[in-house]
Amino acid sequence: MSRFGFIHDKLDMKLLVLYIMDRAAGPISFDTLTDLAMCDDGVDYFQFAEAVSELLESGHLSQDEENYAITDKGRQACAAGESSLSPVIRRRCDQRLAPLNQVLKRNAQVRAQLCPKPGGVDICLTMDDDTGRLFSLTLLAPSQNDAQQIAEQFLKHPDRVYNGILKALLSDHDRSENQ
């Protein structure tokens, strides 16, 4: 059986998976990894799934719940073998990873954690940028539903929350009341 494309055998497939995982900004699901790997006509789904399984067994990848991540062993193998991947495949992977990495980076920088406690639910809201922590706030919500709604709104619009708090704290209320 002849296939077109740059991926021809299981070693190529493993290198492709390691290349993708090495450049992903965080752990990703099997479905996302599959979508990213289908960048070449030579990629066979069953060979791909087998390669991922073997990389897990060999310790090149790790799995936490439904997400996969590359290990140090996988990074070393990728660095040693990535030059044998076609530049065309590497470029396609990089282009496909760019939008995903933006989402993963944002998700890592904006977080909301719910912690039930007597009398309500603590909501810990955190926002970071590339240099470190910008904002951290803990609120007590009276119910799980309220806490969930607050967390969802913060995750959708963290900039509004941050800017609203800054505006409230930096505005001169005394001067505006006297005018």
Side-chain angles (χ1 to χ4, degrees), residues 104-125:
L104 291 172
K105 185 176 178 183
R106 183 189 184 281
N107 290 346
Q109 291 178 331
V110 178
R111 299 173 304 285
Q113 182 179 10
L114 306 182
C115 302
K117 61 185 291 181
V121 179
D122 267 349
I123 313 132
C124 301
L125 308 173

Side-chain angles (χ1 to χ4, degrees), residues 60-121:
H60 290 86
L61 295 179
S62 64
Q63 185 178 10
D64 181 25
E65 295 176 21
E66 77 266 358
N67 291 321
Y68 293 81
I70 192 165
T71 63
D72 288 337
K73 182 178 181 179
R75 288 188 197 287
Q76 290 171 356
C78 181
E82 76 180 50
S83 62
S84 64
L85 269 180
S86 161
V88 172
I89 293 297
R90 292 192 309 245
R91 191 171 33 257
R92 285 179 191 167
C93 287
D94 293 341
Q95 288 170 345
R96 294 171 78 123
L97 276 162
L100 172 68
N101 281 340
Q102 287 177 334
V103 171
L104 291 172
K105 185 176 178 183
R106 183 189 184 281
N107 290 346
Q109 291 178 331
V110 178
R111 299 173 304 285
Q113 182 179 10
L114 306 182
C115 302
K117 61 185 291 181
V121 179

Side-chain angles (χ1 to χ4, degrees), residues 2-13:
S2 70
R3 288 187 298 205
F4 298 103
F6 295 97
I7 304 299
H8 299 288
D9 56 27
K10 193 182 288 187
L11 180 59
D12 289 343
M13 185 66 66

Side-chain angles (χ1 to χ4, degrees), residues 37-58:
M38 295 298 164
C39 63
D40 184 64
D41 292 338
V43 175
D44 173 75
Y45 175 81
F46 298 106
Q47 188 180 41
F48 162 77
E50 189 176 334
V52 171
S53 177
E54 289 177 11
L55 288 167
L56 274 170
E57 289 173 19
S58 65

Side-chain angles (χ1 to χ4, degrees), residues 153-165:
Q153 288 301 314
F154 176 71
L155 292 173
K156 284 181 189 174
H157 307 288
D159 53 319
R160 288 184 188 170
V161 174
Y162 179 73
N163 290 329
I165 289 173

